[in-house]
Amino acid sequence: MRPYFFFCRWAVCGLFLTFLAAIPLRANSTHGIAMYGEPALPPDFVALPYVNPEAPGGGRVVTGNTGGFDSVNPFVQKGTAPWQLGYLTHELLMYRSQDEPFTLYGLLAESVEVPEDRSWVEFTLRPEATFSDGSPVTVDDVIWSFETLGTQGNARYLGFWTRVDGIEQTGERTVRLTFKDADRELALLAGLRPILKKAQYADKDFAEATIQEAPIGSAPYVIESYEPSRNVVLKRNPDYWGNDLPIRQGIANFDEIRIEFYGDANVMFEAFKAGELSYLREFNAEKWARDYDFPAMQSGRMVQTEIEDGKPSGITGFVFNTRRPPFDDIRVRDALLHAFNFEFINETMTGNRMPRISSYFSGSELGMLPGPAEGLERDLLQPFRREIPEEALDGYALPVGDGTARNRTNIRKAMELFEEAGFSIENGVMMTPEGVPFTFDILLKQGQTEYQSIADLYVKALERLGIRATISAVDNAQFNLREGDFDFDMTFLRRSFSLSPGNEQRLYWGSEAADLTGSRNLMGVKSPAIDATIDAMIAATTQEEFLAATRALDRLLTAGRYVIPIYSYDVSRIAHDARLRHPDHVPIYGDSVYFLPEVWWMED
């Protein structure tokens, strides 16, 4: 009997262990979540490291935007709203630290839970969280916000929702999202969705909601008044629910934030000189050194501050629309890149004070390295070697001019590339392979005076090749319409990146976004190699894999010649009221718009 007894006992144990293995393992709820590794701050942290918890509250800060606005609802597809409203008036389930590559800490949610494969994420709401009207933030509000923004909201919210398999309430204050595919980043992206008040739209169609009615939010600021295309006034809510949260210490210190609108950057600069604005960001190093010696600076009422950060350069420049010939030919793009006399333009515009962007992730460890691709990086590119530019594997660097206005060597190279692509010169005019003069238009937004000046210099350089380029500067509404419909030959592009790029790269350069109206893939690139490296970057589970994928992507984008890069904004230059102060510790995303006005304060 004893052997039989032991056999039964072990059989039962085996069945029990099999049963346990079938039960999904739960992770512990935690105060934060990082893309890789663990959050830097412990559960009992008392404040973020880049704030002043003792910062005095009060004062009024006035900032400026160029252009206009006709909406105070930044969450719908209709209208143009001031970009600041989204983060000043509404909150997310989680708060993104500006001092870590990609780490979130609980805001509306007090905790977050994910399994090891991050196939789902569960948030537990704070019981004290309320909207500005005093009503509680509920699980119903969260579910409705995800579903509504994901199906009827602004285009920037639609892509995430297509990755969600389901959303459900799992407790009195808990909500779970399950994803269609395992993707480490989706759990974090879910924490960055804004939460709106469901009851506000109980008897309204959200997509058709009036753009003059401000959505009710839970953030420290509420809209007090506004005049379309003139100004918006926001007041700090004295009853803000999160005043005592550690994540909110030293944040939202001003009693009032006023946003004024101006026709262009020159008018806004004159308004700053006259004392109408509290601060102004200056992107041109030459102007920073030359034009800020006005009376308010001389008296010390205004000061200049430079703030460095640790972000990648991102990409700033003129983007080709490869949906249109001949920009679908890399030889033509390369020729036009050689014709862009960067060294001369940089000297003219900035006094050579700003370095050129050498690749999309330059200035950081994510950027491609000189020379041939090696190791994991090469392994990712090798399967596509017949489809990608050979320089992506062997190494690529942007053409460098001699600094003179004539740029002879690069113009000669440009001519060779045009001839190779079937172009020819007839009576001093560049002719396409179809036998018609080569002309194209550069679409810009009114008020982009710096970029128009660069474009003017480029147009003159192209004349030496017999190419007639024109510049169309249109108002905000027309620009947004044409950009969304990809109705341009070339336009200006600026994309900023964090130290943890992810799913947004699919929106910028993914094949699925290329023909989607309103997408951010302005260049129209459709590349299986780019898609594969983005997939590898998102699927990476180690820093080594992540770096290899990001550097491979950087090689493909840079060697593809989709954008003519200009100079890098490697330093944030802020001229401001001398009473405005910021903490001594500057985070790695120190030039972020969240840094000012979020953690600054005013002292007498």
Side-chain angles (χ1 to χ4, degrees):
M1 293 294 293
R2 187 177 298 273
Y4 179 75
F5 170 76
F6 280 107
F7 171 78
C8 291
R9 185 174 66 177
W10 286 112
V12 170
C13 288
L15 289 172
F16 180 67
L17 291 172
T18 302
F19 171 73
L20 286 179
I23 300 176
L25 295 178
R26 294 180 63 90
N28 293 325
S29 294
T30 181
H31 68 298
I33 182 173
M35 184 66 183
Y36 300 103
E38 299 297 325
L41 302 180
D44 59 349
F45 75 92
V46 296
L48 294 164
Y50 53 89
V51 305
N52 174 11
E54 306 301 323
R60 172 177 180 259
V61 66
V62 184
T63 184
N65 288 1
T66 57
F69 72 97
D70 60 3
S71 170
V72 288
N73 186 341
F75 306 111
V76 294
Q77 298 186 28
K78 297 188 304 180
T80 302
W83 59 267
Q84 295 98 326
L85 296 186
Y87 78 92
L88 288 175
T89 63
H90 285 72
E91 290 181 314
L92 318 172
L93 292 170
M94 309 286 287
Y95 173 92
R96 181 169 186 171
S97 170
Q98 299 299 300
D99 208 28
E100 299 174 58
F102 195 6
T103 298
L104 309 183
Y105 296 97
L107 183 52
L108 287 173
E110 66 182 9
S111 65
V112 59
E113 181 179 352
V114 291
E116 186 175 350
D117 65 357
R118 297 193 179 180
S119 56
W120 52 264
V121 61
E122 188 167 284
F123 301 100
T124 300
L125 298 181
R126 295 186 189 273
E128 70 269 34
T130 62
F131 290 106
S132 60
D133 64 357
S135 60
V137 178
T138 68
V139 170
D140 268 355
D141 293 312
V142 174
I143 293 175
W144 179 86
S145 296
F146 272 95
E147 292 176 340
T148 304
L149 291 176
T151 55
Q152 304 176 54
N154 190 283
R156 62 180 172 272
Y157 302 117
L158 305 182
F160 171 80
W161 187 245
T162 64
R163 313 286 302 281
V164 176
D165 190 47
I167 182 169
E168 60 180 330
Q169 181 166 356
T170 52
E172 182 183 358
R173 292 186 287 114
T174 56
V175 58
R176 177 183 293 193
L177 290 95
T178 304
F179 306 116
K180 293 179 180 178
D181 304 296
D183 181 330
R184 291 183 55 80
E185 191 183 35
L186 291 180
L188 284 83
L189 296 182
L192 297 176
R193 299 297 98 174
I195 304 304
L196 283 64
K197 181 178 170 68
K198 177 182 178 181
Q200 184 179 5
Y201 300 95
D203 56 353
K204 304 170 187 174
D205 182 342
F206 180 79
E208 299 300 322
T210 173
I211 54 181
Q212 278 76 45
E213 180 185 7
I216 296 172
S218 61
Y221 291 96
V222 295
I223 296 175
E224 182 183 62
S225 64
Y226 69 92
E227 295 181 62
S229 291
R230 296 193 63 181
N231 60 64
V232 180
V233 179
L234 299 108
K235 290 283 191 178
R236 185 168 58 175
N237 180 6
D239 300 318
Y240 172 57
W241 70 272
N243 283 326
D244 296 329
L245 292 181
I247 200 76
R248 284 307 202 189
Q249 299 308 297
I251 284 178
N253 299 309
F254 302 108
D255 282 342
E256 179 182 316
I257 297 176
R258 185 182 182 95
I259 308 168
E260 294 285 350
F261 283 77
Y262 299 92
D264 59 44
N266 288 332
V267 177
M268 188 163 69
F269 179 63
E270 293 302 320
F272 175 70
K273 288 170 60 177
E276 296 176 17
L277 300 179
S278 304
Y279 67 90
L280 184 72
R281 289 178 179 271
E282 179 55 65
F283 297 99
N284 188 292
E286 174 70 5
K287 189 173 181 180
W288 180 254
R290 183 190 65 216
D291 296 347
Y292 282 78
D293 190 28
F294 48 84
M297 286 288 179
Q298 295 169 356
S299 70
R301 188 171 64 83
M302 294 286 184
V303 296
Q304 291 174 280
T305 296
E306 295 187 0
I307 298 175
E308 297 186 3
D309 67 40
K311 289 193 317 182
S313 63
I315 189 68
T316 303
F318 296 92
V319 60
F320 299 103
N321 185 355
T322 65
R323 303 170 186 85
R324 295 182 173 183
F327 305 115
D328 56 346
D329 189 328
I330 192 172
R331 295 168 298 185
V332 173
R333 301 197 299 273
D334 198 12
L336 292 171
L337 184 56
H338 276 82
F340 187 82
N341 192 355
F342 173 76
E343 287 68 30
F344 177 75
I345 290 173
N346 194 28
E347 174 63 35
T348 302
M349 296 296 300
T350 77
N352 243 353
R353 290 181 172 88
M354 297 172 71
R356 190 176 197 182
I357 293 172
S358 58
S359 73
Y360 289 57
F361 294 94
S362 61
S364 75
E365 65 174 352
L366 307 183
M368 66 181 192
L369 303 176
E374 298 178 348
L376 290 177
E377 197 176 332
R378 191 172 189 86
D379 292 343
L380 286 169
L381 297 172
Q382 193 68 27
F384 305 97
R385 62 187 181 280
R386 295 180 181 176
E387 308 165 20
I388 62 177
E390 60 183 22
E391 298 95 337
L393 276 163
D394 299 338
Y396 174 75
L398 294 168
V400 178
D402 58 14
T404 66
R406 298 186 66 81
N407 194 27
R408 290 185 178 181
T409 302
N410 281 346
I411 289 293
R412 188 160 47 246
K413 177 63 176 178
M415 188 65 74
E416 293 173 2
L417 288 163
F418 274 122
E419 290 175 355
E420 185 182 330
F423 287 69
S424 60
I425 296 290
E426 295 182 15
N427 300 319
V429 176
M430 180 70 73
M431 307 296 287
T432 69
E434 292 74 28
V436 297
F438 180 31
T439 66
F440 67 91
D441 185 68
I442 304 173
L443 176 66
L444 296 176
K445 189 185 299 184
Q446 285 179 353
Q448 293 181 317
T449 52
E450 179 183 1
Y451 307 141
Q452 181 153 348
S453 297
I454 296 173
D456 286 335
L457 293 169
Y458 187 35
V459 167
K460 290 179 181 177
L462 292 171
E463 290 174 355
R464 299 188 58 217
L465 287 165
I467 299 170
R468 180 176 175 270
T470 57
I471 301 172
S472 295
V474 300
D475 61 36
N476 283 6
Q478 188 177 353
F479 180 87
N480 292 336
L481 182 64
R482 289 186 59 181
E483 183 187 67
D485 290 338
F486 311 123
D487 182 17
F488 61 87
D489 298 321
M490 176 185 284
T491 191
F492 196 78
L493 173 79
R494 188 170 185 188
R495 296 282 184 262
S496 297
F497 306 137
S498 73
L499 288 167
S500 182
N503 278 276
E504 80 284 348
Q505 302 297 310
R506 287 194 177 114
L507 303 179
Y508 296 157
W509 348 104
S511 296
E512 289 186 8
D515 297 322
L516 182 64
T517 299
S519 89
R520 307 190 74 183
N521 184 349
L522 297 185
M523 58 186 64
V525 59
K526 294 180 180 179
S527 166
I530 289 176
D531 294 338
T533 53
I534 294 174
D535 289 344
M537 179 178 66
I538 293 171
T541 56
T542 67
Q543 185 70 3
E544 182 185 15
E545 293 172 346
F546 175 70
L547 283 177
T550 307
R551 290 171 179 169
L553 175 63
D554 200 22
R555 286 176 175 272
L556 292 169
L557 292 170
T558 308
R561 285 89 153 176
Y562 301 110
V563 176
I564 300 175
I566 61 167
Y567 33 74
S568 171
Y569 299 98
D570 58 332
V571 175
S572 184
R573 299 172 175 88
I574 305 173
H576 59 88
D577 187 317
R579 296 173 297 169
L580 292 177
R581 307 294 174 84
H582 67 79
D584 293 333
H585 176 79
V586 176
I588 58 175
Y589 299 133
D591 76 332
S592 165
V593 295
Y594 299 103
F595 190 60
L596 173 64
E598 188 175 60
V599 303
W600 289 49
W601 67 91
M602 183 168 286
E603 287 187 1
D604 291 332

